[in-house]
Amino acid sequence: MRLLFSKLAETFQELEETSSQTAMVEILSALFQEATSQNIDKLCFLALGQIAPGYEDVKIGMAERMVRSSIALAAGKSDEEIDRRLRAVGDLGTIAAKVIRIGTPRLTQDLALKKKLEVEEVLTGLRQIAAVEGKGSQELKKKKLAAMLARGNHTERKYLARLAAGQMRLGVGEMTLLDSLATAFLGSKKERSPLEKAYNLSSDIGHVSKTLMESGLEGVKKIGIAVNRPIRPMLSQRVSHLSQIREKIPSRLVSAEEKYDGERIQAHKDNGRVRLFSRRLSDVTSHFPDIVKHVRESVTARKAIIDGEAVAYDFEKDMYRPFQKLMRRRRKYDVELFAREIPVKYKPFDLLYLDGEEYVDRSYPRRREQLEKILLVSKYVEPAGRKVTEDLDEIEEFFQDCVQKGLEGIVCKSCGEDSVYRAGAREWLWIKWKPDYSAELSDTFDLAVVGAFSGRGKRGGTYGALLCAAYDDKRDVFQTVTNLGSGFTDEDLAGLPEKLASARKDREPARVDTTVQMKPDFWFEPEYVLEVRASEITKSPVHSCGWDAEEKKGLALRFPRFMMWRPEKSVEQATTVNEIRQMHKG
Ligand code: AMP
């Protein structure tokens, strides 16, 4: 049975109108109950505003200007007129919904206007649009979208235009989809865990949903690791005193490792081919041709998946360089030039897969031992430096040495029998420790921007402060923790409205916890992550982070200062509410 796109568009409309995460799960699970194993993956992708798993890097790729022209074509109006309306309304979807009337003269002759759009057809159409390249491709893309727009009803057109322009922003995250799949097929969202495990290993929610419908839970449990498909990275916890490592880490023996201020890179070697994935699971192979070459030469195994950090390095001065330098390597053009200017070292620290065998369920000592066996060490690829010890004093000493070397700090890893690689999880098996943490009243946080307050006086016309939130990974919601107004340069400030424009929402986003009546002047879909330094964590009646219903207080950061944007982090990788709670407890 085929699903009409109008049904999906109505569901999107309902999702857009709700501001409750629970309601979102209900709406989506009702939709999934009407799905088939042929289309469920497509429903998942489209709800996320995607047409394929995120790591495949298949973007629909139509600039707003082109979508505008498509609307004009389908409506039989001029580009200028659509432009004028867009300036007044500000949303492509609304324009597409309103200005096109079915049967407008320019399209009636050559289109089967009466045939209703189906979900699979829309996805195929959008994939075709993404695939067209070369001369004349812009015209072709425009025409293909116009043809679909002309066939859709009001609501379908709204979401078609937004999908094509990459402006869906329904606030549906992967965890909400997993909750909805569990509700629809396993009876309750409490049953999410095996689905989540499969997703953590495959990073492909379409594959998980399809397998669930085709082969049930047993099938999902068999979903494993595959080369060329990224695994969600394991993350670390933090402590407020180094000595707490002792009580938090499950084993006596600890591997204290150098923590590099670079970019997390998961390298997949498949015979002669190497692919690199970022911590957000994007394919970053094209940015680092040098790492590709070095991994190909250094990794002796035929097929392997290695986790590690890429860090900018000054080989003349024999010194590590900061993260900001490395970020300049994230570019489309002049890649080779920048690779020469900002060379990098790749520092592998884990092995997840080797020649047909999964390593994630083996202990860390076994993974690391095997990793070292398959690496030909060179100055470009060397395993992360470390000290394996039971002695806290030795860890402290190692930490001081790392700071001396200009490193960011250390990551302490459990070496017990149960020290498995927990894909996608932030647990006590890994604990990070940075100099910031030891300086009293000074700590850094990665927060999602969820709102803004209008500026006054000198800041008129831009934002006076940003409302920032931590991530509650258990409930998949964002809880506000601070109003951030300092640390921005005048230039940063002036650019804020434009930078954040694409994430603007008319109302509070569904995944933002508004237990507290915090009312910023503007809301944003959580999309951007920034790093903040703050002096203290205090209780506050106005922020929802770690809300204590009895005391009617949450937690807030005092004296926050903006440090930098963290484009390589997804909002789900922001500092968690639990981490802030722990830090507050001290
Ligand atoms: P977090 O991502 O917030 O858990 O912080 C830990 C991050 O430190 C990892 O994601 C890596 O990108 C980075 N890192 C640098 N060196 C290491 C190391 N030796 N082991 C694990 N992570 C490291």
Side-chain angles (χ1 to χ4, degrees):
M1 204 188 63
R2 288 170 180 269
L3 196 67
L4 291 181
F5 184 65
S6 57
K7 168 76 196 164
L8 184 59
E10 278 160 30
T11 307
F12 288 163
Q13 183 72 51
E14 281 179 60
L15 289 169
E16 198 180 333
E17 282 165 9
T18 181
S19 55
S20 136
Q21 210 265 351
T22 316
M24 274 188 152
V25 171
E26 274 165 25
I27 295 166
L28 283 164
S29 69
L31 173 75
F32 290 156
Q33 272 157 4
E34 288 185 39
T36 64
S37 59
Q38 297 308 307
N39 60 31
I40 189 142
D41 51 343
K42 295 162 184 97
L43 300 181
C44 291
F45 294 141
L46 292 172
L48 292 168
Q50 295 171 190
I51 51 174
Y55 68 82
E56 273 187 11
D57 218 16
V58 187
K59 302 257 159 44
I60 306 169
M62 284 184 81
E64 188 173 290
R65 178 181 42 83
M66 268 163 69
V67 179
R68 260 171 0 203
S69 286
S70 279
I71 298 172
L73 183 64
K77 298 206 166 20
S78 68
D79 282 12
E80 290 69 34
E81 175 161 2
I82 301 297
D83 231 10
R84 190 174 51 70
R85 291 188 188 224
L86 185 62
R87 276 199 300 275
V89 178
D91 166 42
L92 274 174
T94 313
I95 307 283
K98 284 196 180 143
V99 300
I100 305 168
R101 286 203 181 73
I102 304 226
T104 38
R106 282 166 74 174
L107 284 158
T108 29
Q109 310 88 7
D110 50 11
L111 289 171
L113 289 173
K114 290 207 180 72
K115 197 168 165 292
K116 290 193 171 147
L117 285 166
E118 288 166 7
V119 169
E120 291 175 72
E121 196 189 351
V122 167
L123 196 99
T124 310
L126 292 171
R127 281 190 182 159
Q128 283 168 351
I129 290 175
V132 194
E133 276 177 15
K135 206 164 154 262
S137 63
Q138 307 240 342
E139 269 314 294
L140 210 61
K141 283 177 195 261
K142 231 160 67 179
K143 279 196 187 140
K144 275 188 173 294
L145 178 63
M148 288 201 281
L149 283 169
R151 281 174 54 195
N153 67 23
H154 180 277
T155 322
E156 288 174 284
R157 295 197 299 269
K158 176 165 155 183
Y159 294 105
L160 271 173
R162 287 190 189 163
L163 274 167
Q167 297 177 358
M168 276 295 273
R169 301 198 173 82
L170 292 174
V172 173
E174 278 86 358
M175 293 306 141
T176 311
L177 284 175
L178 291 173
D179 278 346
S180 313
L181 288 168
T183 309
F185 302 113
L186 306 173
S188 151
K189 68 179 184 184
K190 288 202 195 90
E191 308 298 322
R192 180 177 96 180
S193 155
L195 305 184
E196 192 176 341
K197 176 153 193 234
Y199 172 63
N200 284 338
L201 293 180
S202 68
S203 308
D204 184 348
I205 200 142
H207 181 53
V208 175
S209 63
K210 201 173 166 63
T211 309
L212 182 62
M213 280 202 86
E214 273 172 357
S215 337
L217 198 51
E218 283 315 303
V220 170
K221 285 184 182 159
K222 290 198 191 109
I223 292 179
I225 294 175
V227 183
N228 294 316
R229 196 170 68 182
I231 298 159
R232 296 186 70 223
M234 175 164 173
L235 304 171
S236 58
Q237 283 282 13
R238 62 169 132 190
V239 283
S240 44
H241 300 284
L242 185 59
S243 60
Q244 287 172 323
I245 286 174
R246 218 10 353 127
E247 54 202 77
K248 296 285 186 190
I249 268 197
S251 68
R252 284 294 305 162
L253 195 66
V254 170
S255 170
E257 304 193 354
E258 295 179 346
K259 183 176 196 304
Y260 310 98
D261 188 14
E263 183 173 0
R264 184 83 171 257
I265 299 278
Q266 197 178 95
H268 289 229
K269 183 174 181 227
D270 184 1
N271 292 301
R273 185 166 175 233
V274 172
R275 272 179 87 179
L276 307 175
F277 296 99
S278 74
R279 79 183 260 154
R280 292 186 74 164
L281 313 176
S282 328
D283 187 328
V284 289
T285 314
S286 64
H287 297 161
F288 298 109
D290 43 351
I291 302 185
V292 168
K293 175 172 176 284
H294 299 318
V295 167
R296 195 186 296 127
E297 290 169 357
S298 287
V299 177
T300 56
R302 230 166 32 81
K303 287 185 186 232
I305 303 179
I306 285 168
D307 197 0
E309 188 91 352
V311 54
Y313 200 79
D314 185 332
F315 284 92
E316 266 166 35
K317 295 197 185 124
D318 216 5
M319 264 171 59
Y320 290 101
R321 299 166 89 186
F323 170 75
Q324 286 90 335
K325 276 270 178 258
L326 186 73
M327 276 296 104
R328 301 190 55 211
R329 295 282 312 264
R330 284 276 197 121
R331 57 197 314 116
K332 240 185 175 162
Y333 305 104
D334 296 332
V335 172
E336 295 286 349
L337 180 75
F338 275 76
R340 282 194 297 275
E341 217 162 86
I342 310 172
V344 298
K345 267 186 197 273
Y346 183 52
K347 307 288 287 191
F349 47 71
D350 221 314
L351 177 69
L352 314 185
Y353 174 93
L354 175 64
D355 289 334
E357 293 209 33
E358 296 193 359
Y359 268 64
V360 283
D361 289 329
R362 303 187 186 193
S363 70
Y364 182 52
R366 292 184 64 195
R367 300 198 305 276
R368 173 83 191 210
E369 188 191 334
Q370 193 60 36
L371 169 72
E372 290 179 16
K373 279 194 193 150
I374 61 158
L375 282 184
L376 287 175
V377 176
S378 73
K379 67 176 185 174
Y380 299 110
V381 179
E382 14 177 71
R386 64 180 191 150
K387 169 107 208 159
V388 182
T389 176
E390 291 189 359
D391 185 341
L392 199 62
D393 289 341
E394 281 188 14
I395 297 180
E396 171 79 46
E397 212 175 292
F398 182 74
F399 166 69
Q400 296 300 347
D401 287 349
C402 289
V403 177
Q404 284 286 313
K405 277 196 236 170
L407 292 166
E408 222 196 359
I410 56 174
V411 184
C412 293
K413 300 181 182 174
S414 168
C415 291
E417 267 310 300
D418 58 353
S419 56
V420 296
Y421 188 93
R422 299 268 290 134
R426 189 184 286 287
E427 286 177 13
W428 295 106
L429 292 168
W430 287 12
I431 299 178
K432 58 186 168 184
W433 177 252
K434 295 205 272 182
D436 309 339
Y437 304 169
S438 55
E440 231 182 310
L441 307 184
S442 175
D443 217 332
T444 58
F445 304 81
D446 298 321
L447 302 176
V449 180
V450 299
F453 298 89
S454 302
R456 299 208 172 78
K458 219 178 94 192
R459 295 190 177 183
T462 178
Y463 302 140
L466 299 181
L467 179 61
C468 301
Y471 181 54
D472 178 347
D473 53 342
K474 298 284 171 296
R475 293 194 301 135
D476 189 26
V477 294
F478 292 85
Q479 295 190 318
T480 72
V481 69
T482 202
N483 296 351
L484 174 68
S486 2
F488 295 106
T489 62
D490 288 348
E491 205 184 334
D492 288 338
L493 269 178
L496 283 177
E498 198 187 322
K499 175 165 180 86
L500 299 168
S502 60
R504 272 272 292 276
K505 296 280 284 186
D506 296 338
R507 49 189 300 172
E508 68 267 26
R511 285 200 297 163
V512 175
D513 181 342
T514 45
T515 316
V516 189
Q517 291 300 304
M518 174 61 86
K519 285 262 178 295
D521 300 310
F522 307 96
W523 285 109
F524 300 113
E525 192 57 52
E527 213 171 289
Y528 290 93
V529 177
L530 42 70
E531 185 179 321
V532 168
R533 183 182 290 280
S535 63
E536 202 181 345
I537 302 169
T538 54
K539 292 198 174 172
S540 149
V542 298
H543 287 290
S544 56
C545 177
W547 187 250
D548 181 334
E550 262 174 39
E551 217 185 336
K552 294 208 165 30
K553 283 199 172 132
L555 296 171
L557 305 186
R558 281 191 71 198
F559 304 122
R561 280 185 72 73
F562 170 76
M563 305 302 291
M564 62 177 137
W565 293 99
R566 302 296 308 225
E568 86 292 5
K569 294 201 174 177
S570 69
V571 284
E572 287 83 7
Q573 288 165 346
T575 303
T576 62
V577 170
N578 215 10
E579 280 180 274
I580 295 181
R581 237 192 235 125
Q582 297 282 348
M583 279 187 258
H584 179 61
K585 275 200 231 145

